[in-house]
Amino acid sequence: MDKIKIIGGNQLNGKIYISGAKNAALPLVCSSLLTSDEVTLKNVPQLSDITFLNSLLKNLGVKINESTKLHDSQIIKAFSYRADDIKELIAPYDFVRKMRASYYVLGPLLSRFKHAELSLPGGCAIGARPIDIHLSSLEQMGANIEIKNGYVVADAPSGLHGSHIIFSKASVGATCNILMAAALAEGITKIENAAKEPEIANLIDLLNGMGARIEGKDTSILTIEGVKKLHGTEISVVPDRIEAGSYAVAAAITHGKIELINARAEHLQQPLRILEKMGIGVEEKNSSIIIDGVGKHIIGEDIYTDYYPGFPTDLQAQFMALMTIADGASLVTESIWENRFMHVPELCRMGANINIHGHASAIVRGVKKLSGAPVMATDLRASFALVLAGLVAEGETIVNRVYHLDRGYERLEEKLKGVGANIERIRESD
Ligand code: UD1
């Protein structure tokens, strides 16, 4: 397995180009299952999760064409999908086991082909991660759902119909799945307590571009008037707010100055305000954000993760890395996932002073310095937190299990090297 080696201590300065958002691209890719026309997605990040989802779609019978172009000396990828000859309606265990977001095929397949089978995702490193809201909502829309041999087997012989659905939690995944299912259902679906993340707005724009009738974008009440048929279109994947927030912390923690090109400040309001409270300079521009940590004194600050527009759980680990070297204490409260402090013992091995209280709270008391160590994390964002700690730690840090990072950070070493980090990938065969 590849590793990442970092020699800490370099101040990072320059520009980092922010890629398309993984979490937006995943449901956009699956929306292509709703039509036999071509759907083109631009600004798709080159990540193993995307490669993986593409292989699941190919397995179902979707034809995929890839193209690249150079923009601002960045390679931008586009994929065109044509689901005009679907042969399979099953997302098998081997796919779902490797990537939970495979469940995004459920809504579109069931709605267009009246049948879908999905291996149950099961638990994962950051908690139980149930899909009960997805399933009960589809049942409300007329689906018969059975669990057989570890699979969700869903049928809707006379098609799905509209329904008034109230989500018990503002689930991102369920909002995407039900939006896709409702787009082709008969009648009107109303979702209350829908998620409002920018990735959902991106999906609504794509679906409406395909001929869907969805109202309520950016609010927690979505109304979808089902249509008989959807058609092809093209759209750009929204810039990745979590990638931008992660590199913002890289600038702050190394007392450097980085311009995050293509980042959207409006999608990062909470994290940017927290950075300011921690003493870091933030300048919001039209299509970039400048994070300035040069000469700044970093101060401890509390965070509470919440549904958008609250502080994103996907930036909790990275901000905790910053808190480890801040002056004073910080309280981190994780309200979305029940088991999302796996980075804590690893940060402590690097010299951090963190105490976990119960499942949801951690107190970080800032220390003067971290020291490099071999570390590993069990999820994507926690792995990035260890990279951040490595950037500021004295000596060498080896981050193991790099496949987590490859799932969600496009060209990570190249981007960090470009702003002055001493970082390299040690290939398995090296
Ligand atoms: C998405 C993101 C993930 C992020 C999370 C919260 C993707 C691919 N992943 O995950 O990076 O951390 O949003 O912002 O976009 N829940 C249920 N039943 C359900 C569904 C969810 O109880 O059927 C609960 C979950 O256990 C969790 C909360 O709802 O406590 C939010 O989960 P959800 O928004 O669905 O997360 P994902 O879409 O899986």
Side-chain angles (χ1 to χ4, degrees), residues 23 103 129-134 169 171-173 314 336-337:
N23 288 353
Y103 58 49
R129 302 193 80 166
I131 57 163
D132 55 311
I133 301 173
H134 305 231
K169 290 179 184 164
S171 157
V172 172
D314 287 354
I336 306 290
W337 300 114

Side-chain angles (χ1 to χ4, degrees), residues 22-24 26-27 49 99-104 126-136 168-176 195 197 199 241-242 306-308 311-315 334-338 340 380-381 407:
K22 166 180 88 74
N23 288 353
L26 296 172
D49 267 11
M99 193 185 53
R100 296 178 47 84
S102 308
Y103 58 49
Y104 280 139
I126 59 174
R129 302 193 80 166
I131 57 163
D132 55 311
I133 301 173
H134 305 231
L135 301 185
S136 62
S168 55
K169 290 179 184 164
S171 157
V172 172
T175 304
C176 292
E197 273 68 0
E199 294 77 29
R241 64 197 166 98
I242 305 301
D306 210 346
Y307 299 102
Y308 187 84
F311 189 94
T313 172
D314 287 354
L315 284 176
E334 172 58 56
S335 86
I336 306 290
W337 300 114
E338 73 271 25
R340 209 173 194 179
L380 165 62
R381 310 303 172 184
R407 288 187 41 228

Side-chain angles (χ1 to χ4, degrees), residues 18-25 28 42-45 197-203 205 235-241 243 262-264 266-267:
I18 300 306
S19 303
K22 166 180 88 74
N23 288 353
L28 296 184
K42 298 181 288 184
N43 197 33
V44 179
E197 273 68 0
E199 294 77 29
I200 308 260
N202 205 186
L203 175 63
D205 285 342
I235 197 165
S236 265
V237 178
V238 70
D240 195 324
R241 64 197 166 98
E243 189 199 25
N262 210 24
R264 299 226 181 129
E266 71 268 27
H267 293 164

